[in-house]
Amino acid sequence: YEKKGVLSMQIEGGTAGYAASPRLVEYIVSLTNNLSRKLNQVLPDAYHLATEEQTNKLAVCLGDGSYYDKHIDNLGGSSDAGDQRKLTALIYLQPPNSHDGQPPYPDEKVEDDPRGGYFRAYDVPEVGDVTCIAPRGDRLVVFWSDSLVHDVSPSFAPSEDDKRFALTTWLVADKKTGEIKGTDLEVSARHFDSGENSIGKG
């Protein structure tokens, strides 16, 4: 869905896609293959991931209060939608020293940083908690696409280095054994006024 003040596109593969952005294509292919294989070695079958399939999005928050609503990335296991995204891997592409001056994770607080653009994970580590993650360059955030409630706080960019550039790669469930978790009704009621309508906005 459209987000005010956010520009986004998909990184395509193939000859044309590789010619346009070789480093990003190489990163996506390597991440998909290696991360899925590593996790499949240690996770139960229901969490297994496809090793060669993914979808992705490159996005930039331009500032002026651009944000992402609270949501769950996939469609909560809806069979009609057929959304098979299982694991989200988000990497920030701005300079590594962006959003400096904050204490280390997990003590970062969006309230202490006027630049905003923080990833906020709800019910982490416990129900009712909110964990804030600053969009520092080279930082990788990985979470389950079918369960984590999250948003992005309003982003303000006084300089180009403060804009929030993020490349998100979604790894999909293995076709044979992987399962998509249905959205918990209690979670939906606690976080979303409109229930299922707030799911699938990643």
Side-chain angles (χ1 to χ4, degrees):
Y1 78 113
E2 294 296 326
K3 305 174 182 70
K4 181 180 178 182
V6 178
L7 302 178
S8 64
M9 63 174 292
Q10 184 169 4
I11 303 299
E12 302 288 351
T15 302
Y18 187 81
S21 51
R23 294 290 295 276
L24 294 183
V25 172
E26 290 171 358
Y27 164 79
I28 292 170
V29 172
S30 178
L31 174 81
T32 302
N33 186 276
N34 290 292
L35 182 58
S36 61
R37 292 180 187 277
K38 291 290 186 182
L39 292 177
N40 288 350
Q41 292 176 3
V42 297
L43 292 174
D45 288 354
Y47 289 86
H48 279 194
L49 304 163
T51 58
E52 296 182 356
E53 294 182 52
Q54 53 77 31
T55 183
N56 67 78
K57 179 177 65 177
L58 176 63
V60 55
C61 289
L62 300 176
D64 296 325
S66 53
Y67 65 96
Y68 285 56
D69 291 322
K70 185 190 291 188
H71 65 284
I72 298 174
D73 275 359
N74 79 354
L75 293 174
S78 169
S79 58
D80 292 337
D83 193 338
Q84 291 299 301
R85 292 178 296 171
K86 183 65 177 178
L87 189 78
T88 303
L90 181 158
I91 188 168
Y92 295 110
L93 302 178
Q94 52 266 38
N97 63 346
S98 62
H99 284 266
D100 54 2
Q102 279 280 299
Y105 173 86
D107 297 320
E108 299 163 323
K109 299 295 181 183
V110 63
E111 296 83 2
D112 299 334
D113 192 339
R115 293 164 293 189
Y118 278 56
F119 182 97
R120 295 186 293 201
Y122 292 84
D123 296 337
V124 177
E126 302 291 341
V127 172
D129 292 340
V130 180
T131 295
C132 298
I133 301 175
R136 292 175 177 161
D138 287 344
R139 172 172 272 181
L140 180 68
V141 181
V142 180
F143 57 92
W144 295 116
S145 312
D146 57 357
S147 58
L148 183 69
V149 178
H150 61 286
D151 66 10
V152 176
S153 69
S155 175
F156 302 93
S159 71
E160 285 294 316
D161 288 350
D162 293 316
K163 289 182 178 179
R164 179 186 182 274
F165 287 85
L167 175 59
T168 302
T169 305
W170 288 281
L171 306 188
V172 302
D174 180 82
K175 291 181 179 179
K176 293 183 178 180
T177 63
E179 299 177 4
I180 298 299
K181 179 181 178 182
T183 303
D184 186 278
L185 294 180
E186 190 273 334
V187 170
S188 182
R190 187 167 67 249
H191 289 288
F192 308 120
D193 292 336
S194 54
E196 295 288 333
N197 292 332
S198 296
I199 300 169
K201 292 186 175 182

